[in-house]
Amino acid sequence: MSTRHQVMRNTPIGPLTLVLDADRLAAVYMTDHRHAPALTTFGPPVIGDPLGDLVEGQLTEYFAGARSEFDLPLASRGTDFQRRAWNALLDIPYGETTTYGALARCIGSPSSARAVGLANGRNPISVIVPCHRVVGAGGDLTGYGGGLPRKRALLELEGRHLAAAARGSAADLRAAQVS
């Protein structure tokens, strides 16, 4: 079985279509995702696919705040430049943001902030390859294939989980000091 898709229905950002290609995740598309190809290119729908279930499990953990990094086999398809930009996204820490300019410098193309933005807009593996963590030079939310409300929701979700973890760590430290 090669290309197929599985739909994850219940997420805080709406349904996600997981495109699976052989033994790798090829895409995660949101409803009305800009630059998403036609559904007919995703292959047949499946339910209970082992890879699809693995992806769903890790995304469920992410949305619950129990996972900050993904461990999935990815099949990123794009130009060399796009793949370099997408790989650099994987280095942005959970709950943090960077700018398009900083990302351009990171991949060795300091004058290509606009091209990095265009590459991010074509990132097929949303959420898992975290293009939502890239903001404009002034810190403004700019462009997102799934729409700015979803970008804001993902950043807020990560911020809430980090704050809760910090509160938990402080409570654990206080409890240890009392003992």
Side-chain angles (χ1 to χ4, degrees), residues 46-136:
V46 294
I47 297 173
D49 182 275
L51 176 59
D53 289 350
L54 176 66
V55 175
E56 281 198 36
Q58 289 193 19
L59 281 165
T60 297
E61 292 170 355
Y62 166 81
F63 289 125
R67 175 177 289 278
S68 60
E69 294 181 6
F70 295 92
D71 181 24
L72 297 166
L74 304 179
S76 298
R77 292 197 178 87
T79 67
D80 288 340
F81 182 85
Q82 286 171 328
R83 286 194 315 274
R84 284 189 4 243
W86 299 336
N87 284 334
L89 293 171
L90 296 170
D91 294 330
I92 304 169
Y94 179 88
E96 295 184 22
T97 59
T98 192
T99 65
Y100 296 100
L103 202 58
R105 288 187 297 279
C106 177
I107 65 169
S109 296
S111 62
S112 63
R114 181 179 212 92
V116 164
L118 293 171
N120 280 0
R122 298 252 180 215
N123 171 23
I125 308 178
S126 297
V127 183
I128 292 166
V129 177
C131 54
H132 61 276
R133 295 180 189 154
V134 184
V135 298

Side-chain angles (χ1 to χ4, degrees), residues 1-6 18-28 42 49-52 54-55 71-77 125 128:
M1 183 179 346
S2 61
T3 304
R4 62 219 183 271
H5 73 279
Q6 184 165 315
L18 314 175
V19 181
L20 314 166
D21 190 2
D23 60 349
R24 298 187 177 278
L25 175 65
V28 175
F42 298 168
D49 182 275
L51 176 59
L54 176 66
V55 175
D71 181 24
L72 297 166
L74 304 179
S76 298
R77 292 197 178 87
I125 308 178
I128 292 166

